[in-house]
mmCIF file of all heavy atoms in Angstrom:
data_model
loop_
_atom_site.group_PDB
_atom_site.id
_atom_site.type_symbol
_atom_site.label_atom_id
_atom_site.label_comp_id
_atom_site.label_asym_id
_atom_site.label_seq_id
_atom_site.Cartn_x
_atom_site.Cartn_y
_atom_site.Cartn_z
ATOM 1 N N LEU A 8 5.836 -19.822 -48.484
ATOM 2 C CA LEU A 8 5.366 -21.196 -48.629
ATOM 3 C C LEU A 8 6.595 -22.088 -48.664
ATOM 4 O O LEU A 8 7.458 -21.923 -49.527
ATOM 5 C CB LEU A 8 4.560 -21.361 -49.915
ATOM 6 C CG LEU A 8 3.282 -20.526 -50.032
ATOM 7 C CD1 LEU A 8 2.685 -20.662 -51.424
ATOM 8 C CD2 LEU A 8 2.258 -20.957 -48.978
ATOM 9 N N MET A 9 6.677 -23.013 -47.729
ATOM 10 C CA MET A 9 7.875 -23.830 -47.578
ATOM 11 C C MET A 9 7.742 -25.151 -48.329
ATOM 12 O O MET A 9 6.779 -25.894 -48.132
ATOM 13 C CB MET A 9 8.129 -24.108 -46.091
ATOM 14 C CG MET A 9 9.260 -25.078 -45.801
ATOM 15 S SD MET A 9 10.825 -24.559 -46.524
ATOM 16 C CE MET A 9 11.004 -22.952 -45.775
ATOM 17 N N VAL A 10 8.753 -25.427 -49.173
ATOM 18 C CA VAL A 10 8.870 -26.732 -49.815
ATOM 19 C C VAL A 10 9.907 -27.523 -49.033
ATOM 20 O O VAL A 10 11.060 -27.100 -48.914
ATOM 21 C CB VAL A 10 9.317 -26.612 -51.285
ATOM 22 C CG1 VAL A 10 9.397 -28.002 -51.927
ATOM 23 C CG2 VAL A 10 8.374 -25.714 -52.070
ATOM 24 N N ALA A 11 9.500 -28.662 -48.474
ATOM 25 C CA ALA A 11 10.422 -29.523 -47.746
ATOM 26 C C ALA A 11 11.042 -30.511 -48.721
ATOM 27 O O ALA A 11 10.329 -31.283 -49.365
ATOM 28 C CB ALA A 11 9.683 -30.257 -46.633
ATOM 29 N N THR A 12 12.373 -30.482 -48.853
ATOM 30 C CA THR A 12 13.022 -31.409 -49.781
ATOM 31 C C THR A 12 13.218 -32.786 -49.172
ATOM 32 O O THR A 12 13.391 -33.765 -49.893
ATOM 33 C CB THR A 12 14.390 -30.869 -50.242
ATOM 34 O OG1 THR A 12 15.250 -30.736 -49.109
ATOM 35 C CG2 THR A 12 14.237 -29.520 -50.921
ATOM 36 N N ASN A 13 13.203 -32.882 -47.829
ATOM 37 C CA ASN A 13 13.259 -34.195 -47.204
ATOM 38 C C ASN A 13 11.988 -34.961 -47.563
ATOM 39 O O ASN A 13 10.885 -34.403 -47.544
ATOM 40 C CB ASN A 13 13.383 -34.049 -45.684
ATOM 41 C CG ASN A 13 13.632 -35.377 -44.991
ATOM 42 O OD1 ASN A 13 14.143 -36.317 -45.589
ATOM 43 N ND2 ASN A 13 13.260 -35.463 -43.729
ATOM 44 N N ALA A 14 12.127 -36.237 -47.871
ATOM 45 C CA ALA A 14 10.990 -37.018 -48.377
ATOM 46 C C ALA A 14 9.889 -37.226 -47.351
ATOM 47 O O ALA A 14 8.728 -37.407 -47.709
ATOM 48 C CB ALA A 14 11.488 -38.365 -48.889
ATOM 49 N N HIS A 15 10.241 -37.209 -46.046
ATOM 50 C CA HIS A 15 9.254 -37.489 -45.005
ATOM 51 C C HIS A 15 9.175 -36.319 -44.024
ATOM 52 O O HIS A 15 10.174 -35.905 -43.457
ATOM 53 C CB HIS A 15 9.619 -38.773 -44.254
ATOM 54 C CG HIS A 15 9.614 -39.992 -45.123
ATOM 55 N ND1 HIS A 15 8.463 -40.691 -45.408
ATOM 56 C CD2 HIS A 15 10.624 -40.622 -45.776
ATOM 57 C CE1 HIS A 15 8.756 -41.697 -46.205
ATOM 58 N NE2 HIS A 15 10.061 -41.683 -46.446
ATOM 59 N N ILE A 16 7.971 -35.831 -43.813
ATOM 60 C CA ILE A 16 7.727 -34.750 -42.866
ATOM 61 C C ILE A 16 6.656 -35.196 -41.876
ATOM 62 O O ILE A 16 5.603 -35.714 -42.275
ATOM 63 C CB ILE A 16 7.258 -33.468 -43.609
ATOM 64 C CG1 ILE A 16 8.396 -32.910 -44.455
ATOM 65 C CG2 ILE A 16 6.762 -32.426 -42.623
ATOM 66 C CD1 ILE A 16 9.603 -32.437 -43.673
ATOM 67 N N GLY A 17 6.937 -34.997 -40.585
ATOM 68 C CA GLY A 17 5.982 -35.342 -39.546
ATOM 69 C C GLY A 17 6.254 -36.651 -38.848
ATOM 70 O O GLY A 17 5.546 -37.012 -37.907
ATOM 71 N N ASN A 18 7.307 -37.358 -39.272
ATOM 72 C CA ASN A 18 7.537 -38.709 -38.741
ATOM 73 C C ASN A 18 7.960 -38.731 -37.283
ATOM 74 O O ASN A 18 7.834 -39.762 -36.623
ATOM 75 C CB ASN A 18 8.570 -39.447 -39.605
ATOM 76 C CG ASN A 18 9.816 -38.631 -39.863
ATOM 77 O OD1 ASN A 18 9.722 -37.486 -40.275
ATOM 78 N ND2 ASN A 18 10.972 -39.197 -39.624
ATOM 79 N N TYR A 19 8.483 -37.600 -36.745
ATOM 80 C CA TYR A 19 8.821 -37.606 -35.320
ATOM 81 C C TYR A 19 7.945 -36.639 -34.509
ATOM 82 O O TYR A 19 8.265 -36.282 -33.381
ATOM 83 C CB TYR A 19 10.317 -37.339 -35.087
ATOM 84 C CG TYR A 19 10.882 -36.053 -35.649
ATOM 85 C CD1 TYR A 19 10.769 -34.856 -34.951
ATOM 86 C CD2 TYR A 19 11.572 -36.043 -36.859
ATOM 87 C CE1 TYR A 19 11.310 -33.681 -35.435
ATOM 88 C CE2 TYR A 19 12.118 -34.874 -37.363
ATOM 89 C CZ TYR A 19 11.991 -33.694 -36.646
ATOM 90 O OH TYR A 19 12.537 -32.521 -37.139
ATOM 91 N N GLY A 20 6.814 -36.251 -35.070
ATOM 92 C CA GLY A 20 5.839 -35.469 -34.331
ATOM 93 C C GLY A 20 6.309 -34.087 -33.949
ATOM 94 O O GLY A 20 7.161 -33.488 -34.607
ATOM 95 N N VAL A 21 5.765 -33.570 -32.850
ATOM 96 C CA VAL A 21 6.043 -32.214 -32.391
ATOM 97 C C VAL A 21 6.401 -32.237 -30.899
ATOM 98 O O VAL A 21 5.739 -32.913 -30.112
ATOM 99 C CB VAL A 21 4.816 -31.299 -32.606
ATOM 100 C CG1 VAL A 21 5.032 -29.938 -31.981
ATOM 101 C CG2 VAL A 21 4.516 -31.161 -34.090
ATOM 102 N N ASN A 22 7.446 -31.511 -30.544
ATOM 103 C CA ASN A 22 7.862 -31.357 -29.146
ATOM 104 C C ASN A 22 7.795 -29.877 -28.808
ATOM 105 O O ASN A 22 8.418 -29.048 -29.477
ATOM 106 C CB ASN A 22 9.280 -31.893 -28.947
ATOM 107 C CG ASN A 22 9.729 -31.892 -27.496
ATOM 108 O OD1 ASN A 22 9.523 -30.923 -26.781
ATOM 109 N ND2 ASN A 22 10.357 -32.971 -27.065
ATOM 110 N N GLU A 23 7.056 -29.531 -27.782
ATOM 111 C CA GLU A 23 6.808 -28.122 -27.456
ATOM 112 C C GLU A 23 8.076 -27.362 -27.073
ATOM 113 O O GLU A 23 8.089 -26.126 -27.089
ATOM 114 C CB GLU A 23 5.794 -28.020 -26.318
ATOM 115 C CG GLU A 23 6.226 -28.705 -25.035
ATOM 116 C CD GLU A 23 5.145 -28.707 -23.978
ATOM 117 O OE1 GLU A 23 3.981 -28.406 -24.310
ATOM 118 O OE2 GLU A 23 5.463 -29.016 -22.811
ATOM 119 N N LYS A 24 9.162 -28.080 -26.736
ATOM 120 C CA LYS A 24 10.406 -27.414 -26.373
ATOM 121 C C LYS A 24 11.230 -27.019 -27.596
ATOM 122 O O LYS A 24 12.229 -26.320 -27.465
ATOM 123 C CB LYS A 24 11.246 -28.330 -25.481
ATOM 124 C CG LYS A 24 10.616 -28.642 -24.131
ATOM 125 C CD LYS A 24 11.504 -29.561 -23.311
ATOM 126 C CE LYS A 24 10.875 -29.894 -21.964
ATOM 127 N NZ LYS A 24 11.727 -30.828 -21.175
ATOM 128 N N GLU A 25 10.815 -27.447 -28.778
ATOM 129 C CA GLU A 25 11.624 -27.230 -29.974
ATOM 130 C C GLU A 25 10.978 -26.227 -30.924
ATOM 131 O O GLU A 25 10.870 -26.462 -32.127
ATOM 132 C CB GLU A 25 11.874 -28.569 -30.677
ATOM 133 C CG GLU A 25 12.690 -29.524 -29.811
ATOM 134 C CD GLU A 25 12.792 -30.921 -30.393
ATOM 135 O OE1 GLU A 25 12.138 -31.185 -31.426
ATOM 136 O OE2 GLU A 25 13.516 -31.746 -29.815
ATOM 137 N N VAL A 26 10.558 -25.113 -30.368
ATOM 138 C CA VAL A 26 9.964 -24.058 -31.187
ATOM 139 C C VAL A 26 10.861 -22.827 -31.144
ATOM 140 O O VAL A 26 11.594 -22.611 -30.181
ATOM 141 C CB VAL A 26 8.547 -23.694 -30.698
ATOM 142 C CG1 VAL A 26 7.607 -24.872 -30.881
ATOM 143 C CG2 VAL A 26 8.561 -23.241 -29.245
ATOM 144 N N GLU A 27 10.807 -22.027 -32.186
ATOM 145 C CA GLU A 27 11.621 -20.817 -32.275
ATOM 146 C C GLU A 27 10.800 -19.546 -32.053
ATOM 147 O O GLU A 27 11.341 -18.445 -32.083
ATOM 148 C CB GLU A 27 12.313 -20.752 -33.639
ATOM 149 C CG GLU A 27 13.355 -21.840 -33.874
ATOM 150 C CD GLU A 27 14.607 -21.676 -33.019
ATOM 151 O OE1 GLU A 27 14.678 -20.707 -32.244
ATOM 152 O OE2 GLU A 27 15.512 -22.512 -33.138
ATOM 153 N N SER A 28 9.486 -19.710 -31.849
ATOM 154 C CA SER A 28 8.625 -18.552 -31.604
ATOM 155 C C SER A 28 7.334 -19.059 -30.967
ATOM 156 O O SER A 28 7.241 -20.225 -30.570
ATOM 157 C CB SER A 28 8.339 -17.803 -32.904
ATOM 158 O OG SER A 28 7.557 -18.601 -33.780
ATOM 159 N N ASP A 29 6.336 -18.185 -30.905
ATOM 160 C CA ASP A 29 5.086 -18.548 -30.252
ATOM 161 C C ASP A 29 4.129 -19.323 -31.129
ATOM 162 O O ASP A 29 2.993 -19.608 -30.736
ATOM 163 C CB ASP A 29 4.395 -17.293 -29.718
ATOM 164 C CG ASP A 29 4.092 -16.287 -30.823
ATOM 165 O OD1 ASP A 29 4.457 -16.549 -31.995
ATOM 166 O OD2 ASP A 29 3.512 -15.218 -30.520
ATOM 167 N N GLY A 30 4.545 -19.691 -32.341
ATOM 168 C CA GLY A 30 3.666 -20.460 -33.221
ATOM 169 C C GLY A 30 4.240 -20.602 -34.611
ATOM 170 O O GLY A 30 5.342 -20.129 -34.907
ATOM 171 N N ILE A 31 3.499 -21.259 -35.480
ATOM 172 C CA ILE A 31 3.931 -21.467 -36.859
ATOM 173 C C ILE A 31 3.989 -20.129 -37.589
ATOM 174 O O ILE A 31 3.073 -19.307 -37.488
ATOM 175 C CB ILE A 31 2.970 -22.429 -37.581
ATOM 176 C CG1 ILE A 31 3.061 -23.825 -36.957
ATOM 177 C CG2 ILE A 31 3.294 -22.491 -39.067
ATOM 178 C CD1 ILE A 31 2.050 -24.809 -37.510
ATOM 179 N N LYS A 32 5.060 -19.922 -38.333
ATOM 180 C CA LYS A 32 5.243 -18.657 -39.049
ATOM 181 C C LYS A 32 5.209 -18.810 -40.573
ATOM 182 O O LYS A 32 5.010 -17.819 -41.270
ATOM 183 C CB LYS A 32 6.567 -18.009 -38.632
ATOM 184 C CG LYS A 32 6.571 -17.542 -37.173
ATOM 185 C CD LYS A 32 5.534 -16.469 -36.931
ATOM 186 C CE LYS A 32 5.565 -15.902 -35.521
ATOM 187 N NZ LYS A 32 5.078 -16.841 -34.510
ATOM 188 N N ILE A 33 5.427 -20.012 -41.103
ATOM 189 C CA ILE A 33 5.329 -20.182 -42.543
ATOM 190 C C ILE A 33 3.876 -19.985 -42.973
ATOM 191 O O ILE A 33 2.947 -20.166 -42.180
ATOM 192 C CB ILE A 33 5.857 -21.558 -43.012
ATOM 193 C CG1 ILE A 33 5.042 -22.697 -42.373
ATOM 194 C CG2 ILE A 33 7.329 -21.699 -42.708
ATOM 195 C CD1 ILE A 33 5.380 -24.072 -42.932
ATOM 196 N N SER A 34 3.671 -19.625 -44.248
ATOM 197 C CA SER A 34 2.313 -19.425 -44.752
ATOM 198 C C SER A 34 1.641 -20.740 -45.109
ATOM 199 O O SER A 34 0.411 -20.856 -45.067
ATOM 200 C CB SER A 34 2.342 -18.523 -45.989
ATOM 201 O OG SER A 34 2.799 -17.239 -45.659
ATOM 202 N N GLY A 35 2.449 -21.737 -45.481
ATOM 203 C CA GLY A 35 1.920 -23.040 -45.861
ATOM 204 C C GLY A 35 3.061 -23.985 -46.153
ATOM 205 O O GLY A 35 4.223 -23.564 -46.286
ATOM 206 N N LEU A 36 2.759 -25.283 -46.252
ATOM 207 C CA LEU A 36 3.782 -26.305 -46.464
ATOM 208 C C LEU A 36 3.468 -27.145 -47.689
ATOM 209 O O LEU A 36 2.307 -27.517 -47.921
ATOM 210 C CB LEU A 36 3.891 -27.210 -45.232
ATOM 211 C CG LEU A 36 4.883 -28.376 -45.334
ATOM 212 C CD1 LEU A 36 6.315 -27.865 -45.416
ATOM 213 C CD2 LEU A 36 4.718 -29.338 -44.162
ATOM 214 N N ILE A 37 4.523 -27.457 -48.444
ATOM 215 C CA ILE A 37 4.442 -28.350 -49.603
ATOM 216 C C ILE A 37 5.442 -29.469 -49.369
ATOM 217 O O ILE A 37 6.629 -29.208 -49.136
ATOM 218 C CB ILE A 37 4.779 -27.609 -50.912
ATOM 219 C CG1 ILE A 37 3.837 -26.408 -51.108
ATOM 220 C CG2 ILE A 37 4.723 -28.538 -52.102
ATOM 221 C CD1 ILE A 37 4.546 -25.127 -51.400
ATOM 222 N N CYS A 38 5.001 -30.720 -49.397
ATOM 223 C CA CYS A 38 5.911 -31.823 -49.123
ATOM 224 C C CYS A 38 5.579 -33.039 -49.987
ATOM 225 O O CYS A 38 4.558 -33.069 -50.685
ATOM 226 C CB CYS A 38 5.894 -32.200 -47.644
ATOM 227 S SG CYS A 38 4.310 -32.800 -47.026
ATOM 228 N N LYS A 39 6.448 -34.043 -49.916
ATOM 229 C CA LYS A 39 6.241 -35.282 -50.662
ATOM 230 C C LYS A 39 5.394 -36.260 -49.860
ATOM 231 O O LYS A 39 4.289 -36.613 -50.258
ATOM 232 C CB LYS A 39 7.605 -35.908 -51.021
ATOM 233 C CG LYS A 39 7.505 -37.264 -51.740
ATOM 234 C CD LYS A 39 6.761 -37.179 -53.046
ATOM 235 C CE LYS A 39 6.739 -38.542 -53.745
ATOM 236 N NZ LYS A 39 5.898 -38.498 -54.963
ATOM 237 N N ASN A 40 5.910 -36.714 -48.727
ATOM 238 C CA ASN A 40 5.203 -37.686 -47.890
ATOM 239 C C ASN A 40 4.917 -37.084 -46.521
ATOM 240 O O ASN A 40 5.849 -36.760 -45.788
ATOM 241 C CB ASN A 40 6.025 -38.962 -47.723
ATOM 242 C CG ASN A 40 6.330 -39.631 -49.046
ATOM 243 O OD1 ASN A 40 5.427 -39.919 -49.827
ATOM 244 N ND2 ASN A 40 7.607 -39.874 -49.308
ATOM 245 N N PHE A 41 3.663 -36.956 -46.187
ATOM 246 C CA PHE A 41 3.275 -36.422 -44.875
ATOM 247 C C PHE A 41 2.938 -37.589 -43.959
ATOM 248 O O PHE A 41 2.092 -38.423 -44.279
ATOM 249 C CB PHE A 41 2.072 -35.494 -45.002
ATOM 250 C CG PHE A 41 1.744 -34.758 -43.735
ATOM 251 C CD1 PHE A 41 2.312 -33.528 -43.468
ATOM 252 C CD2 PHE A 41 0.876 -35.314 -42.787
ATOM 253 C CE1 PHE A 41 2.025 -32.846 -42.287
ATOM 254 C CE2 PHE A 41 0.588 -34.642 -41.608
ATOM 255 C CZ PHE A 41 1.169 -33.402 -41.358
ATOM 256 N N SER A 42 3.613 -37.639 -42.803
ATOM 257 C CA SER A 42 3.414 -38.735 -41.857
ATOM 258 C C SER A 42 2.301 -38.382 -40.875
ATOM 259 O O SER A 42 2.467 -37.503 -40.032
ATOM 260 C CB SER A 42 4.711 -39.015 -41.094
ATOM 261 O OG SER A 42 5.736 -39.420 -41.978
ATOM 262 N N PHE A 43 1.176 -39.073 -40.989
ATOM 263 C CA PHE A 43 0.066 -38.846 -40.063
ATOM 264 C C PHE A 43 0.327 -39.526 -38.721
ATOM 265 O O PHE A 43 -0.263 -39.161 -37.714
ATOM 266 C CB PHE A 43 -1.242 -39.348 -40.676
ATOM 267 C CG PHE A 43 -1.698 -38.519 -41.847
ATOM 268 C CD1 PHE A 43 -1.266 -38.799 -43.133
ATOM 269 C CD2 PHE A 43 -2.545 -37.439 -41.653
ATOM 270 C CE1 PHE A 43 -1.683 -38.027 -44.202
ATOM 271 C CE2 PHE A 43 -2.961 -36.661 -42.722
ATOM 272 C CZ PHE A 43 -2.526 -36.956 -43.998
ATOM 273 N N ASN A 44 1.214 -40.517 -38.723
ATOM 274 C CA ASN A 44 1.624 -41.189 -37.497
ATOM 275 C C ASN A 44 3.067 -40.814 -37.179
ATOM 276 O O ASN A 44 3.861 -40.578 -38.080
ATOM 277 C CB ASN A 44 1.504 -42.702 -37.642
ATOM 278 C CG ASN A 44 0.084 -43.142 -37.927
ATOM 279 O OD1 ASN A 44 -0.844 -42.712 -37.249
ATOM 280 N ND2 ASN A 44 -0.088 -43.976 -38.937
ATOM 281 N N HIS A 45 3.405 -40.772 -35.893
ATOM 282 C CA HIS A 45 4.772 -40.457 -35.504
ATOM 283 C C HIS A 45 5.241 -41.458 -34.456
ATOM 284 O O HIS A 45 4.419 -42.096 -33.775
ATOM 285 C CB HIS A 45 4.859 -39.031 -34.945
ATOM 286 C CG HIS A 45 4.031 -38.806 -33.723
ATOM 287 N ND1 HIS A 45 2.667 -38.565 -33.771
ATOM 288 C CD2 HIS A 45 4.360 -38.791 -32.403
ATOM 289 C CE1 HIS A 45 2.197 -38.404 -32.553
ATOM 290 N NE2 HIS A 45 3.208 -38.536 -31.690
#
């Protein structure tokens, strides 16, 4: 379970070229501010 220490997560969206495997590998995410818009 990943805790993101950066205050904002999701602010620049997702780019398919910037992956390290075939999909998400963490079990879950814990963050402070989740950006629904990017």
Side-chain angles (χ1 to χ4, degrees):
L8 298 173
M9 174 56 57
V10 181
T12 62
N13 188 24
H15 297 277
I16 292 296
N18 49 310
Y19 57 83
V21 173
N22 186 315
E23 60 186 13
K24 295 180 181 178
E25 296 172 355
V26 295
E27 294 290 359
S28 66
D29 59 358
I31 294 174
K32 293 297 184 289
I33 61 172
S34 296
L36 177 67
I37 303 129
C38 63
K39 177 60 178 174
N40 301 306
F41 188 90
S42 298
F43 291 88
N44 299 312
H45 61 280

